[in-house]
Amino acid sequence: MSLHLENVSFTYPGAQHGIEAVTLAVEPGELLAVMGRSGSGKSTILRLTAGLLNGYEGRISINGKDVAGVPVWRREVGMVFQQYALFPHLSVVDNVAYGLRMRGMSAAKRRTRALDMLERVGLTEHAGRRTTLLSGGQQQRVALARALAFEPKVLLLDEPLAALDAGIRQQLRDEIRSLQRACGATTLLVTHDQDEALSLADRVAVVDGGRVLQVDTPERLYTQPVSTQVARFVGHSSVMPGRVVGTGAVDVSFAMLFADTRAFRPGDKVDVLVRPEHVQPDPPEAAINRLGGRRTEVRYFGATCRYDFVPDSAQQPLLCEGRQLAEHAIAIAPEHLRVLAA
Ligand code: ADP
Ligand code: MG
């Protein structure tokens, strides 16, 4: 089942906030993550897709069929939220079976199906317990089992791991991925956590201020961000404001850097970006884009180090990463500089 949002705009009544002209295409079986900071419109996208919010412009369709006016329970979307939203008065197995009852399945079949789902999330032995007796991670597994029990066309996950401790989060992240693969559910996952988005998703939509900035594979988002804004959301990078001075050269105030400027004309204001791992420590004298300077802060991360290097005459340090630390100079190969419109 595919899920399409085409030019969807929505404003909360009486507020200026919402989303604007959001276009997203989730292919059958794909897991697309919507990533952005708090307040960027992620949950709004999800609520509109689920049918929990109405009165939008544009088109939302599941498998090519416009879902405008289709009520929540007819959309066949499974939902999991940050707060588990389980029924405290029902047992674990009854929570999972709940959605099936609404869909008219017999009691015996509901139980069989719910137990099967619990086995998949490793909670068989907890079937008869109250959900309030479970840990956060276990409760979220119940929520997942409940969401997937009726084989939804679309699975919607709103920050499903945000309330969990780091260790459990990592584990459940992997479980969500394998469960989603096994079920083949077309999935929209909302998160503010870039590690989560990049490691879980087939593709990631970066959103800010209610707009989609870029939709791409995790790798392309990292290597080919379309804007400085996207680059700041995905991994670390140093940004050097500058001006294109000729073909293949940018003046970044403290130096002249050689880079691919084919998309620009002389005089254009640009940002030159470099990822920390692409900064070469203590290069030969003749290296291209060699910058003398001094190392300042060093942070150790086991296998690697991150450190700051301030080029001569520069105001801001460049973030560098590697096992070898630069002493007096760095260099950045032109192909590792990304020039973007300022
Ligand atoms: P996110 O999930 O990315 O944190 P939301 O989609 O919840 O963001 O919210 C997007 C914007 O809409 C925010 O500015 C938020 O304050 C605003 N907003 C969210 N819910 C409501 C509401 N019920 N009424 C008015 N404004 C809202
Ligand atoms: Mg939210």
Side-chain angles (χ1 to χ4, degrees):
M1 299 287 166
S2 60
L3 167 67
H4 287 264
L5 279 79
E6 293 159 72
N7 259 311
V8 176
S9 298
F10 173 85
T11 309
Y12 286 96
Q16 273 120 47
H17 303 288
I19 58 167
E20 204 160 322
V22 167
T23 294
L24 291 173
V26 196
E27 303 305 326
E30 187 181 31
L31 195 161
L32 186 112
V34 177
M35 176 176 94
R37 56 186 153 196
S38 175
S40 57
K42 307 181 297 293
S43 295
T44 304
I45 293 173
L46 225 63
R47 287 185 212 120
L48 288 165
T49 306
L52 297 170
L53 279 177
N54 285 294
Y56 57 90
E57 285 168 38
R59 186 182 142 101
I60 302 176
S61 56
I62 295 177
N63 230 23
K65 189 174 165 290
D66 193 332
V67 295
V70 179
V72 183
W73 64 91
R74 288 259 169 78
R75 292 197 184 189
E76 295 182 55
V77 295
M79 284 179 274
V80 177
F81 304 98
Q82 176 176 341
Q83 294 308 333
Y84 325 114
L86 300 174
F87 304 112
H89 59 287
L90 296 181
S91 67
V92 167
V93 67
D94 287 342
N95 260 278
V96 177
Y98 185 82
L100 303 173
R101 183 165 67 186
M102 286 177 58
R103 282 170 180 80
M105 202 183 260
S106 76
K109 274 196 175 150
R110 292 199 301 261
R111 195 174 163 79
T112 309
R113 174 88 186 130
L115 287 171
D116 175 44
M117 287 311 301
L118 285 176
E119 194 182 332
R120 289 213 216 175
V121 296
L123 288 176
T124 302
E125 63 202 77
H126 298 287
R129 302 183 84 185
R130 285 289 174 96
T131 55
T132 44
L133 298 172
L134 303 183
S135 69
Q138 289 170 330
Q139 291 191 45
Q140 204 56 317
R141 286 196 184 92
V142 176
L144 263 172
R146 183 178 63 179
L148 287 168
F150 67 96
E151 296 175 321
K153 289 176 178 167
V154 171
L155 180 63
L156 303 175
L157 307 171
D158 194 344
E159 309 256 14
L161 306 174
L164 304 174
D165 295 336
I168 306 285
R169 206 183 304 153
Q170 187 88 33
Q171 195 187 336
L172 200 56
R173 186 198 286 181
D174 295 342
E175 284 180 33
I176 287 180
R177 187 57 181 151
S178 59
L179 209 56
Q180 188 267 343
R181 283 245 170 85
C183 298
T186 304
T187 304
L188 203 54
L189 169 107
V190 157
T191 180
H192 68 277
D193 182 327
Q194 64 160 278
D195 287 344
E196 203 170 296
L198 298 176
S199 64
L200 263 174
D202 296 306
R203 287 184 308 144
V204 178
V206 181
V207 295
D208 199 33
R211 291 175 172 275
V212 177
L213 304 180
Q214 184 171 358
V215 187
D216 238 320
T217 60
E219 190 194 349
R220 283 185 54 90
L221 273 184
Y222 187 77
T223 58
Q224 318 269 308
V226 297
S227 65
T228 308
Q229 216 180 344
V230 171
R232 287 189 202 278
F233 277 115
V234 185
H236 297 278
S237 49
S238 301
V239 180
M240 297 170 274
R243 198 178 280 278
V244 176
V245 289
T247 310
V250 182
D251 180 352
V252 293
S253 79
F254 58 89
M256 189 74 76
L257 295 175
F258 296 102
D260 183 351
T261 60
R262 274 176 294 180
F264 299 94
R265 287 191 299 200
D268 285 350
K269 282 178 85 172
V270 293
D271 285 330
V272 182
L273 271 66
V274 60
R275 297 289 187 188
E277 67 274 22
H278 289 143
V279 177
Q280 184 195 347
D282 295 319
E285 284 290 335
I288 298 174
N289 293 335
R290 183 181 187 281
L291 302 170
R294 66 196 168 83
R295 187 180 74 221
T296 53
E297 293 296 317
V298 179
R299 278 90 75 195
Y300 288 93
F301 289 93
T304 183
C305 277
R306 286 210 192 108
Y307 59 96
D308 292 337
F309 187 90
V310 186
D312 294 332
S313 332
Q315 308 286 318
Q316 298 290 329
L318 298 181
L319 183 63
C320 311
E321 182 173 341
R323 282 143 72 111
Q324 190 199 332
L325 308 183
E327 297 298 334
H328 313 291
I330 56 159
I332 308 157
E335 66 267 26
H336 286 140
L337 287 174
R338 192 161 169 82
V339 184
L340 295 165

